[in-house]
Amino acid sequence: MNPYHFFKFVPLSILQMLARFVAWIILRLPNASIMRTVRINMALVAPSLSAHQKRALTKDIIYHQCLTSIESIKSWAMPPEWSIKQIRDVHNKDILLEGLASPNGMLAIVPHLGTWEMMNAWLNQFGAPTIMYKPVKGDITNDFILQGRSRLNATLVPTDGSGVKAIFKTLKQGGFSIVLPDHVPEPSGGVIVPFFGIETLTSTLASKLASKTKCALVGLSCIRRDDGQGFDIYCYKLDDPALYDRNTETAAYALNLAMQQMIEDKCSHYMWGYRRFKHIPTLGNPYNVDEGTLAKFILDNKRADQNVHDTTTRVGNE
């Protein structure tokens, strides 16, 4: 038996207690990799926050990321019905139903926000989506995740040209797919556009699919309730015409803005422990540069943003 199946027999409440304990330990290890990544990401996307505010936000982020990780493992270990029962409320469900009814198909835009794996089982009630799957490192871990996802109605396709064609075909037939568009792509599969004000390499897959199929775009997140009693799903209508622009830079930037709005709503639930900004043209990899170089970049970027704001304000007042 795969050792991960042990999680099937441990109550979620106990696993969450374990996750909080792990988070407590991480927070006392300032040199831990995840701590450094979160600090750098906060410095990049929220330079105006005070040191106290950044510490408080970092604490919440670490706790939520540890909880999300262990909740995802529990979800993979359990049958889909278990995950579905954890969903307590669905906000703006009509947006999702409208998207699913689109004759051009629907593309669910799912950033690394909240416990998205828990939502997969719930979303699969509405059909048989085509979803890309990239094997993870380690046969034991990969077999476990693959087994968990194979219990769903989804058709898993590889993260290559054949997988893209399969999703395209699904959308053309009026079906739906799920994309996590905030991962760092290979340079050939991305463009440089702002994300939280930082010019960085951004995936173009979702934008190209939307442009070619005119499918409905619906943002989704699965957020842990404050009372600890399950999860709520939030649906966002993504209907900015720029999302369908044939220019990939325009469309990718519009999608980044849409995701930013989703994330800002539940900022501490986003996976800021992920090295999202590995490719910044004027800096390189911020997770490898020295503190002085990073500080100068952040200051210069903040000044550039202020100059744009000042110019826009002057034009608007003329």
Side-chain angles (χ1 to χ4, degrees):
M1 184 178 75
N2 191 303
Y4 280 106
H5 287 296
F6 167 77
F7 285 85
K8 183 176 182 179
F9 306 103
V10 183
L12 179 61
S13 59
I14 300 299
L15 293 174
Q16 289 173 327
M17 287 176 59
L18 176 60
R20 292 187 180 96
F21 177 68
V22 171
W24 182 83
I25 293 174
I26 291 173
L27 288 165
R28 280 148 184 80
L29 300 172
N31 294 324
S33 177
I34 187 173
M35 284 289 288
R36 185 170 184 273
T37 298
V38 172
R39 283 199 304 270
I40 291 173
N41 283 337
M42 289 299 96
L44 288 168
V45 306
S48 298
L49 291 183
S50 68
H52 174 74
Q53 289 173 319
K54 287 178 182 177
R55 283 194 299 271
L57 185 55
T58 296
K59 178 181 177 181
D60 287 343
I61 288 168
I62 295 297
Y63 271 101
H64 284 307
Q65 189 156 334
C66 288
L67 285 164
T68 291
S69 297
I70 210 158
E71 290 159 356
S72 297
I73 295 172
K74 178 68 173 177
S75 179
W76 290 320
M78 300 298 287
E81 293 75 18
W82 179 87
S83 294
I84 293 170
K85 288 181 181 178
Q86 308 310 309
I87 306 303
R88 299 291 182 261
D89 197 8
V90 180
H91 301 263
N92 300 314
K93 186 177 179 180
D94 57 309
I95 292 175
L96 174 64
L97 297 179
E98 181 184 347
L100 290 167
S102 169
N104 296 327
M106 184 195 82
L107 193 60
I109 301 300
V110 183
H112 292 81
L113 179 62
T115 309
W116 60 90
E117 293 292 350
M118 194 78 72
M119 181 175 63
N120 273 349
W122 179 86
L123 190 56
N124 271 253
Q125 296 179 102
F126 296 94
T130 300
I131 307 175
M132 285 186 164
Y133 177 75
K134 182 178 181 179
V136 300
K137 293 181 179 179
D139 291 341
I140 293 176
T141 302
N142 184 65
D143 290 345
F144 172 69
I145 296 175
L146 192 56
Q147 185 179 51
R149 290 185 175 174
S150 295
R151 294 194 189 105
L152 306 177
N153 294 325
T155 298
L156 302 181
V157 296
T159 55
D160 57 20
S162 66
V164 175
K165 289 180 181 178
I167 293 178
F168 182 79
K169 182 179 180 181
T170 295
L171 295 175
K172 293 292 286 184
Q173 293 175 344
F176 74 99
S177 182
I178 305 167
V179 173
L180 279 70
D182 54 340
H183 69 283
V184 179
E186 294 295 327
S188 60
V191 292
I192 302 295
V193 292
F195 183 55
F196 278 87
I198 304 296
E199 296 270 353
T200 192
L201 185 63
T202 298
S203 172
T204 58
L205 173 60
S207 301
K208 289 179 177 178
L209 288 169
S211 176
K212 291 180 179 179
T213 66
K214 306 304 178 185
C215 61
L217 297 174
V218 176
L220 294 172
S221 66
C222 182
I223 303 298
R224 186 178 309 99
R225 291 170 64 102
D226 291 337
D227 60 9
Q229 301 300 311
F231 303 79
D232 283 357
I233 291 176
Y234 293 81
C235 308
Y236 301 83
K237 188 171 185 177
L238 310 183
D239 56 358
D240 182 351
L243 292 163
Y244 297 89
D245 201 288
R246 291 185 178 182
N247 181 285
T248 52
E249 285 86 357
T250 300
Y253 180 37
L255 186 55
N256 275 355
L257 285 176
M259 285 193 292
Q260 180 175 334
Q261 292 172 354
M262 293 172 61
I263 294 165
E264 286 175 339
D265 195 34
K266 303 288 182 182
C267 185
S268 63
H269 291 260
Y270 187 65
M271 197 171 72
W272 290 111
Y274 177 55
R275 298 189 170 189
R276 174 64 184 86
F277 301 99
K278 287 193 294 187
H279 298 282
I280 300 177
T282 56
L283 178 66
N285 187 337
Y287 311 104
N288 292 339
V289 301
D290 61 83
E291 292 184 6
T293 301
L294 179 62
K296 183 179 184 303
F297 169 81
I298 291 170
L299 181 60
D300 291 345
N301 192 69
K302 187 176 180 180
R303 286 172 175 167
D305 285 347
Q306 186 61 48
N307 288 339
V308 170
H309 174 75
D310 291 345
T311 300
T312 303
T313 302
R314 286 198 301 271
V315 171
N317 291 333
E318 288 177 355

